[in-house]
Amino acid sequence: MTQKLVAGIEPPYYTAVFTSVRPESPEGYAETSVRMQELVREIPGFLGYESARTPGGIGITVGYFRDLGSLESWARHPEHRAAKEYGREHWYESYSVHIGKVERSYGYARD
């Protein structure tokens, strides 16, 4: 789970919202998650991500990308594709992905 929010990104940019249901700690998931975090940071145009999970197994990860090309590069990355396939077979009960264009963004942080 991320503890710091992604902020200060000048629109427009794109989001990939990944919502999933999976068991609490499936075998191999944590290691794969760390690897995916390493790989996505190498994608030109990747801006950051935020992630949270409920005790009941529902998780949401929002990835931020400068443009559709960078988001598509991530979607086509061979290791990412292999992890998605493995996840469908072994980890996830269900998931959904929503792609959006952000045209306005603002935030607040207490000093």
Side-chain angles (χ1 to χ4, degrees):
M1 190 170 350
T2 52
Q3 297 298 319
K4 187 173 180 187
L5 299 179
V6 175
I9 303 171
E10 184 65 32
Y13 56 91
Y14 288 83
T15 60
V17 181
F18 177 73
T19 307
S20 65
V21 177
R22 67 166 174 78
E24 196 64 33
S25 297
E27 186 176 330
Y29 184 86
E31 297 82 3
T32 301
S33 178
V34 168
R35 178 66 179 149
M36 293 303 106
Q37 291 170 40
E38 293 169 355
L39 290 175
V40 74
R41 286 184 175 98
E42 296 174 2
I43 300 291
F46 173 71
L47 302 171
Y49 76 96
E50 297 161 330
S51 184
R53 183 160 295 281
T54 69
I58 296 173
I60 298 174
T61 298
V62 181
Y64 300 94
F65 296 83
R66 176 52 51 205
D67 51 42
L68 278 177
S70 57
L71 199 157
E72 290 168 356
S73 291
W74 175 237
R76 290 190 310 263
H77 190 285
E79 280 189 66
H80 182 219
R81 290 174 60 112
K84 287 190 289 188
E85 184 177 326
Y86 188 87
R88 283 190 297 270
E89 294 173 8
H90 299 280
W91 297 324
Y92 298 110
E93 293 177 31
S94 62
Y95 69 77
S96 61
V97 178
H98 306 275
I99 307 300
K101 181 178 182 181
V102 177
E103 296 181 357
R104 183 172 175 235
S105 178
Y106 61 93
Y108 166 81
R110 184 179 312 273
D111 290 334

